[in-house]
Amino acid sequence: MNMTGGSGAFSVGGRSGKDSPGGTKDGGTIGGGAIHARTADARVDDYLEQLRKALAGLSGETVSDILEELRGHVLEKSALNGEGGEVTPAAVENVLAALGAPEELAAQYMADDLLERASRGWSPLLLLRGLLRWASLSAAGVFVFIGCLVGYFVGGSFMLCAILKPLHPHSAGLWRLADEGNSYSFSLRMGFGSIPADGRELLGWWIVPIGLLIGGGMCFLTTQIALWCVRQYRRSHAPGRG
Amino acid sequence: MQLRKGCLELAILASLWGGKLYGLEILRRLESGSDMVISEGTVYPLLSRLKSLALVESEWVESDGGHPRKYYRLTTAGKLRAIEMARVWSEFSSSLSKLLEPLAKAKPAKEK
């Protein structure tokens, strides 16, 4: 019987249905063998549960696919290594050790996938998570991550200011503040503090459309530039290149 | 590290050249066909990556052992990529061999 990958046809974690109540399995033995099989099974379940937690963020379908594949791997390889084709706890431990710690294994699964999904989607949060992962791998990633953070911060500030203007009509907006001497600075105020003494508000109610436009534009541009960087990075790291 | 990962990807694609295999068979083939020591914790995530790049596709097949196996096979894009990578690799390895020739013939210099 064939099943296409990703159909999510296999339950994960709750395998009890596959085992007969007596604990016999794969034509296995009764008595000591059954106890072996049960503790070994529990150990595999435990490992896969940790892996499932560490894979949080991937789609449920992908996760159950990965877990079911690894369960098959662990049980089959343990049976090959164990005494007389039996899945012993010791054999399971060896196979799990070869796979590595669940967190490290998950990190290998996630590293590419996060960037991959981020580069297809529009979610700034997903993008930032992907960039953070990238930043943990390379200096270029750190650079893009920080740039992206700054872009969203400035863009978000403009939009927040525009939204808060109706709530704090007298103090929110873009202000020109006099500094010492002839110099002056601009300040984007949310209107929570007092009205600056020697300042002048520049845009008045225009901050609403202009703030939304500039803020939205900055967020859009930031996303586009970050996605472009991610695509360049992915292209240079695709197999067979770079 | 990047080189090693690229090699491993090529090795996996090459192992699938003869037809569909599941994870354990791929591992076995990589180990028997070469002296490479390959961690299973590396191969499974790489298979997942190759799948997301549409270089391989997978299907679940029930087995006698009671556990379904996830079989992988090369897609057309995967075959093309494997051929391309094999060509690049051969060129790279032959030019490196040329560069290494003097070293292979050389005898360790005796201290005077």
Side-chain angles (χ1 to χ4, degrees):
Chain A
M1 178 176 138
N2 284 0
M3 288 175 239
T4 51
S7 65
F10 304 104
S11 67
V12 168
R15 257 175 42 79
S16 51
K18 284 184 188 172
D19 294 329
S20 57
T24 53
K25 191 159 83 59
D26 301 348
T29 52
I30 29 172
I35 293 165
H36 264 176
R38 226 174 289 142
T39 48
D41 258 11
R43 182 68 186 93
V44 179
D45 282 341
D46 185 44
Y47 180 91
L48 292 179
E49 180 56 25
Q50 287 182 50
L51 184 63
R52 192 181 62 77
K53 281 187 190 137
L55 287 171
L58 302 191
S59 79
E61 217 173 70
T62 310
V63 172
S64 58
D65 229 39
I66 290 172
L67 296 189
E68 197 56 37
E69 178 177 38
L70 291 177
R71 178 189 298 283
H73 168 85
V74 173
L75 294 180
E76 191 173 344
K77 189 147 189 207
S78 314
L80 287 172
N81 294 349
E83 300 149 35
E86 198 186 311
V87 180
T88 62
V92 165
E93 282 309 325
N94 281 336
V95 178
L96 291 181
L99 278 175
E103 294 77 23
E104 284 166 30
L105 187 57
Q108 294 202 57
Y109 273 110
M110 310 268 290
D112 287 306
D113 193 85
L114 264 177
L115 271 181
E116 146 101 16
R117 284 189 306 145
S119 69
R120 279 187 310 208
W122 277 94
S123 158
L125 269 183
L126 195 60
L127 182 63
L128 283 175
R129 268 185 69 187
L131 289 179
L132 191 61
R133 182 80 59 174
W134 182 16
S136 71
L137 298 173
S138 82
V142 175
F143 188 71
V144 176
F145 177 71
I146 292 175
C148 193
L149 222 50
V150 170
Y152 281 141
F153 180 76
V154 175
S157 301
F158 267 99
M159 290 207 279
L160 196 63
C161 185
I163 292 166
L164 286 172
K165 178 70 179 171
L167 296 176
H168 308 117
H170 299 297
S171 48
L174 184 66
W175 287 72
R176 186 178 132 163
L177 305 176
D179 289 346
E180 291 155 44
N182 277 335
S183 68
Y184 53 85
S185 59
F186 294 101
S187 170
L188 204 55
R189 304 184 75 86
M190 303 299 157
F192 289 109
S194 55
I195 299 170
D198 45 358
R200 191 158 62 87
E201 208 207 325
L202 293 176
L203 292 168
W205 284 99
W206 280 107
I207 187 68
V208 177
I210 292 178
L212 287 177
L213 209 69
I214 293 181
M218 283 216 58
C219 288
F220 176 78
L221 266 181
T222 302
T223 306
Q224 288 303 304
I225 292 171
L227 286 180
W228 182 82
C229 293
V230 167
R231 273 186 222 116
Q232 292 299 311
Y233 170 78
R234 283 181 61 77
R235 200 163 298 158
S236 67
H237 285 75
R241 317 248 167 94
Chain B
M1 196 219 150
Q2 232 8 273
L3 178 69
R4 197 167 167 267
K5 197 171 161 194
C7 288
L8 202 46
E9 278 167 350
L10 173 57
I12 291 176
L13 292 178
S15 73
L16 290 170
W17 191 258
K20 66 176 185 180
L21 298 175
Y22 69 102
L24 210 52
E25 286 176 325
I26 295 174
L27 277 161
R28 225 173 281 150
R29 187 157 299 192
L30 290 178
E31 274 160 17
S32 67
S34 67
D35 293 333
M36 288 196 275
V37 179
I38 292 140
S39 144
E40 342 193 314
T42 311
V43 169
Y44 283 102
L46 269 182
L47 280 168
S48 163
R49 172 179 152 84
L50 292 174
K51 193 183 161 187
S52 77
L53 290 168
L55 298 177
V56 302
E57 58 192 4
S58 65
E59 66 174 343
W60 286 100
V61 179
E62 285 290 355
S63 74
D64 305 334
H67 299 284
R69 291 166 174 166
K70 193 177 182 185
Y71 277 86
Y72 294 88
R73 77 169 87 233
L74 291 174
T75 59
T76 310
K79 283 179 189 163
L80 291 175
R81 180 63 65 82
I83 294 169
E84 165 73 7
M85 282 174 84
R87 190 185 57 74
V88 170
W89 174 256
S90 303
E91 283 173 15
F92 171 75
S93 104
S94 70
S95 51
L96 189 63
S97 299
K98 251 180 242 163
L99 210 61
L100 294 182
E101 250 167 44
L103 280 74
K105 287 175 195 160
K107 284 168 190 160
K110 280 176 193 163
E111 304 237 346
K112 281 177 187 172

